[in-house]
Amino acid sequence: MTKPLYQGENTGWKLENTYAKLPETLYTRMNPQPVSSPKLVVLNKPLAEVLGIKPEALESEEGIAVLAGNRIPEGAEAIAQAYAGHQFGHFTMLGDGRAVLLGEQLTPEGKRMDIQLKGSGQTPYSRQGDGRAALGPMLREYIISEAMHSLGIPTSRSLAVVTTGEPVFREKRLTGAILTRVASSHLRVGTFQYAAKWDDLESLKKLADYAWDRHFHDEDPGGNRYLSLLREAVKKQAELIAKWQLSGFVHGVMNTDNMAISGETIDYGPCAFMDTYHPSTVFSAIDYYGRYAYGNQPSIAGWNLSRFAETLLPLIHQEEKKAIGKAQEVLAEYSSLFRSYWLDGFRKKLGIMEEAAADVKLIEDLLHVMEKKEMDFTNTFRELTLRSMETAKNFQEKQEREETKNPEFEKWLQGWKKRIADQKKPAEEIAGLMKKSNPSIIPRNHRVEETLRAAVKQQDYRVMEELLKALADPYAYTSDQEKYAQLPPKMDTPYQTFCGT
Ligand code: AMP
Ligand code: MG
């Protein structure tokens, strides 16, 4: 039998749940469904330290029981959150169908971080689903979210994965698992859509005030706090999507329920990093029309923000027309903000320190050549960085590097070299900027798959440990990272990903 409450003295757990003080329409109180024999398979010790939780405590039997949802630490108030969402453009009532939020961990640094168990059993929002998750996808979320964090891209994080000892049934029988997800909150655009749907202005206002206090309390609320909430969310999203574009990340399912107000990447399903650059890159098996293709991400985020703005209208102004006018002004800032983050990021990737109008063309020309010549996104910038590092070290440019058999790229290189030289900046400085702006490695799909095969099929986690170690410092440019920079073997069919698995 389960003994839900876990006192957890001297373990570092310091939970409370402020979300559970919001109106009860926004969630359902419920404990995770217990599992038969949980086993810890990955633990993120550095993250545990950041959270102020002792890693040894999480590795203990009691600690594992918490990560499996069999015990509830003191201070937690387990809930499943309700939300709605536009899924591929269609509005649906959703909610945590396979997750439970234990509460917020108060970290030693004074931050408040959501602790959520994903794969923790059915909830009132499960619809047809079993409420469970399979090991492979949970490990995949762990690897990619942690890689994103190390790349410097705002993201939810992964504290641990436990196997449940119970199978889950998809097309076949799979190992069941639970991921402990950590995020600065799980407030989604869809959370606001859900609240707005009930026509209960008081609840909506409480939710909006909560979001403001939780994420933006350091900002100036100006004359209209709800308009400011929209403005801050717009800024965060513009910054986030620029970072995705700069690293070749394709989220894959940018439904409004999968967009966090905090500006963190959330809900890793069919996401993947692209190898060969092409704006129409899609990995998700169900994204038939490429709605969430790499090149569409900036405009889709804008679309999602408009849905967010709609929910806030009655709070922005009681006269709808005035509210729309004000919201539109803020929404209009999104494209230029995105563009400036994007441009600034690409300048850094190319080692450009001071702005010039011609940079846009330089960047767009490169992307054009990359697309035409089917060049690898990450490795193109890696290659440029390696060149800048060699120049900085006064090496003769290596002959073999020049042999790209790509005259169009060569031509572009000449223009870039001139642009860099004209800056009259020390070569070391340029190389330094490029090194910290261009990752040497990303979680390449073939490496992630190799890792998952070893872990799931052979219970061999060494391959994963090695990959995680390399991905923890993606800007290191060390020789032991070389293997992760290798391109995937040529395949007959494109790499495909699946969500909700
Ligand atoms: P996602 O595509 O992961 O963003 O999930 C969309 C919705 O489906 C969310 O409400 C999830 O909680 C729900 N969901 C996904 N998988 C399951 C599952 N196995 N059981 C119940 N609900 C699920
Ligand atoms: Mg989701």
Side-chain angles (χ1 to χ4, degrees):
M1 234 0 246
T2 39
K3 294 177 284 177
L5 193 67
Y6 171 51
Q7 306 246 288
E9 271 165 47
N10 302 319
T11 56
W13 278 112
K14 204 172 169 197
L15 285 165
E16 52 182 53
N17 194 336
T18 53
Y19 197 84
K21 294 185 172 52
L22 285 173
E24 303 231 346
T25 43
L26 295 173
Y27 54 87
T28 301
R29 287 179 195 278
M30 58 169 300
N31 281 343
Q33 311 285 317
V35 298
S36 61
S37 42
K39 190 167 159 263
L40 182 64
V41 291
V42 206
L43 175 66
N44 190 338
K45 291 186 185 178
L47 178 57
E49 304 276 3
V50 170
L51 293 170
I53 307 170
K54 289 185 183 152
E56 318 82 78
L58 292 172
E59 284 167 325
S60 72
E61 202 183 322
E62 300 263 79
I64 295 170
V66 170
L67 299 172
N70 287 359
R71 300 288 295 271
I72 304 295
E74 203 173 21
E77 278 179 68
I79 58 170
Q81 289 177 306
Y83 49 84
H86 273 93
Q87 299 191 300
F88 289 89
H90 303 285
F91 187 81
T92 323
M93 295 302 255
L94 299 160
D96 290 331
R98 54 164 172 175
V100 157
L101 175 70
L102 293 180
E104 304 121 28
Q105 169 75 6
L106 300 174
T107 76
E109 275 183 11
K111 288 205 177 122
R112 179 178 289 278
M113 301 298 286
D114 270 11
I115 306 287
Q116 193 207 58
L117 303 180
K118 181 168 174 180
S120 58
Q122 284 178 324
T123 76
Y125 314 108
S126 295
R127 298 174 293 160
Q128 309 301 322
D130 60 359
R132 293 295 183 191
L135 177 60
M138 294 305 100
L139 293 177
R140 195 165 185 279
E141 170 156 350
Y142 185 108
I143 296 167
I144 300 186
S145 63
E146 285 306 301
M148 293 283 275
H149 172 74
S150 301
L151 285 165
I153 304 173
T155 176
S156 67
R157 299 197 59 191
S158 299
L159 178 63
V161 176
V162 294
T163 50
T164 58
E166 294 165 12
V168 293
F169 297 92
R170 299 294 180 256
E171 292 93 54
K172 49 186 177 178
R173 184 189 163 103
L174 300 169
T175 305
I178 296 172
L179 169 85
T180 304
R181 177 156 79 175
V182 178
S184 71
S185 87
H186 285 82
L187 293 166
R188 306 153 190 266
V189 168
T191 317
F192 284 82
Q193 289 182 295
Y194 184 90
K197 196 76 192 156
W198 293 109
D199 276 336
D200 169 6
L201 200 59
E202 209 37 48
S203 295
L204 181 69
K205 187 169 176 297
K206 282 188 177 147
L207 179 68
D209 288 337
Y210 181 84
W212 178 268
D213 291 340
R214 187 129 179 213
H215 292 296
F216 308 115
H217 59 267
D218 289 339
E219 310 296 333
D220 177 8
N224 187 324
R225 165 191 263 226
Y226 307 105
L227 204 56
S228 301
L229 173 62
L230 177 62
R231 182 173 290 114
E232 294 307 323
V234 163
K235 268 194 235 164
K236 292 274 183 206
Q237 219 48 239
E239 205 174 345
L240 176 69
I241 307 298
K243 289 192 171 180
W244 289 1
Q245 301 306 96
L246 292 164
S247 64
F249 176 75
V250 182
H251 182 282
V253 60
M254 288 175 73
N255 296 333
T256 54
D257 49 300
N258 293 336
M259 184 193 263
I261 302 301
S262 64
E264 288 177 349
T265 312
I266 198 166
D267 276 11
Y268 289 85
C271 64
F273 283 82
M274 81 183 150
D275 295 307
T276 308
Y277 173 72
H278 201 290
S280 67
T281 302
V282 167
F283 296 102
S284 172
I286 59 163
D287 193 357
Y288 309 113
Y289 304 107
R291 179 180 168 94
Y292 299 138
Y294 168 82
N296 285 352
Q297 296 187 130
S299 60
I300 285 290
W303 191 87
N304 288 350
L305 287 165
S306 299
R307 304 291 79 74
F308 180 48
E310 280 164 7
T311 70
L312 298 176
L313 291 178
L315 299 175
I316 291 173
H317 202 283
Q318 56 207 32
E319 280 175 50
E320 194 180 40
K321 222 168 159 191
K322 284 199 177 143
I324 292 175
K326 284 173 191 280
Q328 272 172 345
E329 265 172 44
V330 174
L331 286 171
E333 293 167 21
Y334 169 74
S335 323
S336 54
L337 271 172
F338 166 76
R339 188 73 180 167
S340 70
Y341 286 125
W342 181 90
L343 200 52
D344 182 55
F346 266 117
R347 280 199 178 100
K348 289 189 174 127
K349 284 173 90 67
L350 294 179
I352 299 171
M353 293 174 173
E354 279 158 20
E355 298 176 17
D359 295 339
V360 175
K361 182 158 168 21
L362 188 72
I363 295 163
E364 285 175 351
D365 284 351
L366 172 61
L367 292 174
H368 184 70
V369 175
M370 285 165 68
E371 179 180 336
K372 191 165 168 204
K373 294 292 172 180
E374 301 182 356
M375 293 163 73
D376 182 83
F377 185 84
T378 305
N379 280 5
T380 300
F381 291 99
R382 182 178 196 268
E383 177 68 24
L384 295 176
T385 307
L386 289 170
R387 282 167 191 262
S388 76
M389 283 156 70
E390 282 168 4
T391 313
K393 279 197 231 150
N394 275 333
F395 274 122
Q396 287 283 324
E397 284 215 356
K398 276 193 210 152
Q399 217 39 46
E400 62 265 33
R401 285 214 190 289
E402 292 293 348
E403 284 174 14
T404 54
K405 293 197 183 77
N406 187 342
E408 286 169 62
F409 183 54
E410 293 304 324
K411 186 163 167 266
W412 179 87
L413 273 176
Q414 298 314 316
W416 172 64
K417 281 184 196 159
K418 182 167 180 317
R419 172 73 180 91
I420 295 301
D422 286 351
Q423 298 189 104
K424 309 225 177 332
K425 296 274 183 198
E428 287 78 12
E429 238 178 79
I430 294 169
L433 176 66
M434 290 184 70
K435 187 168 171 271
K436 65 179 188 198
S437 311
N438 296 308
S440 161
I441 57 165
I442 44 144
R444 285 195 188 266
N445 305 317
H446 68 292
R447 290 293 177 202
V448 174
E449 292 299 324
E450 164 189 91
T451 298
L452 297 181
R453 269 196 305 275
V456 176
K457 295 218 171 99
Q458 277 122 38
Q459 290 82 52
D460 178 358
Y461 285 84
R462 286 171 304 183
V463 191
M464 178 165 163
E465 271 164 35
E466 203 194 325
L467 176 65
L468 286 172
K469 196 166 149 227
L471 289 170
D473 193 1
Y475 301 98
Y477 280 85
T478 52
S479 55
D480 52 353
Q481 288 188 325
E482 300 276 331
K483 87 179 232 206
Y484 297 110
Q486 282 165 13
L487 298 185
K490 280 261 174 276
M491 299 225 266
D492 297 337
T493 48
Y495 181 69
Q496 275 203 325
T497 53
F498 303 88
C499 51
T501 37

